[in-house]
Amino acid sequence: MNSCFVFAALCVSLVPMVFMKADTMTLPDQQTSPCAAVENRQFDFWLGDWEVEDPTGKHVGTNSITSILGGCVLLENWRGDGGMTGTSLNKYVASTKQWHQTWMDDKGGFLALNGEFKDGKMVLQGNRKTKDGSNAIDRISWSKVRNDEVRQYWEQSTDGGKSWTVAFDGTYKRKRN
């Protein structure tokens, strides 16, 4: 192909851009993130690498929470001291004005939770079937204790929410580099 022809074709294709109004052109780094709203940052206090202890101070695992997909999703990677590993994806869904978490682990566990950040806590809840086929409700809250500490409190109910038992109570302590 003739190089003059290629050059001419390139010039013709660029001419409309030269005459565009500057305020109508948007470069990728100038675009507003689809997840820039304040609500998308409500769970950022959980970001980081953590050592996790039970209420007695016993170390029970480590957790790493990172921001992915342009800041739209939090990715959790749990490693329990007993060998269990699990992952969750967490996202604010603007259309429902709720947070959503999907949890999966190497023991076959699965949770689908929804909820909101209210009164300084992220509280997510969901229904599931137990191994015996009965219904259960899981309610998990996360609250910032201080800059380097977060508490996760997980309750379960098998009687429609009339009574609750504690499934997990953990204190996350930020790892020191």
Side-chain angles (χ1 to χ4, degrees), residues 17-38:
M17 289 180 68
V18 171
F19 294 102
M20 285 178 93
K21 291 171 56 179
D23 61 348
T24 63
M25 292 187 355
T26 304
L27 300 174
D29 60 337
Q30 294 174 325
Q31 293 175 350
T32 302
S33 168
C35 301
V38 171

Side-chain angles (χ1 to χ4, degrees), residues 149-169:
E149 204 169 290
V150 170
R151 182 178 184 207
Q152 179 181 343
Y153 190 70
W154 178 6
E155 301 171 284
Q156 296 176 322
S157 176
T158 55
D159 59 8
K162 294 175 189 161
S163 64
W164 296 87
T165 59
V166 177
F168 180 78
D169 186 0

